[in-house]
Amino acid sequence: LDVDTSVLNPNKCNPFGLVRSATFDVFFMTWGCMGGRQVYLTSSDDLIHWSSRTHPPQKIYDHDMLPPNVAKNVTSINYPSLIDPTAPSKYNDQNYYTIGDEPYLFWVSFGHNVYVDGRSVWATPIKIDRSPIVNATFRDIHEKKDTKKTTVV
């Protein structure tokens, strides 16, 4: 991918989730970075040209944004992907490839010990606001809605 490597170091960041935004008519890709502590988002109009130096990748979530009671059990944020639970009914997308302006950031956490807190799947609701077309801004809204946790066995 042709992305701004000054922010997304290819030795520390990996792309995970690719979705199309019906609201903004662009593609978004989530990136997991920095040992599982940060999540970035890039955008593209054509799946060839991605966020550039004029519209750099944006950090949308990191470990410091977690509520204290959650952060103490999370050692890393892995496999981040944007999913909109309304996709099947709202966008006729049975594969959840399309998102609106209020998707969930799904991610997996690895705990301290597989027998104590193991792996968990989390869903954090976010709101995507947008000024110029390619330069989206993001706001975590977990303070309005509780972060939902589903434990994977």
Side-chain angles (χ1 to χ4, degrees), residues 73-139:
N73 294 320
V74 174
T75 60
S76 59
I77 297 172
N78 301 285
Y79 314 115
S81 295
L82 293 174
I83 298 175
D84 190 334
T86 67
S89 61
K90 195 171 185 179
Y91 306 110
N92 196 27
D93 181 356
Q94 303 304 313
N95 295 316
Y96 297 90
Y97 175 68
T98 309
I99 63 168
D101 61 347
E102 293 189 6
Y104 282 74
L105 175 65
F106 279 81
W107 51 279
V108 176
S109 69
F110 296 131
H112 301 90
N113 178 312
V114 300
Y115 301 107
V116 177
D117 50 5
R119 293 183 183 188
S120 298
V121 175
W122 297 83
T124 305
I126 63 170
K127 171 84 173 151
I128 302 177
D129 301 313
R130 184 159 115 149
S131 306
I133 265 188
V134 187
N135 191 14
T137 57
F138 300 89
R139 171 176 69 88

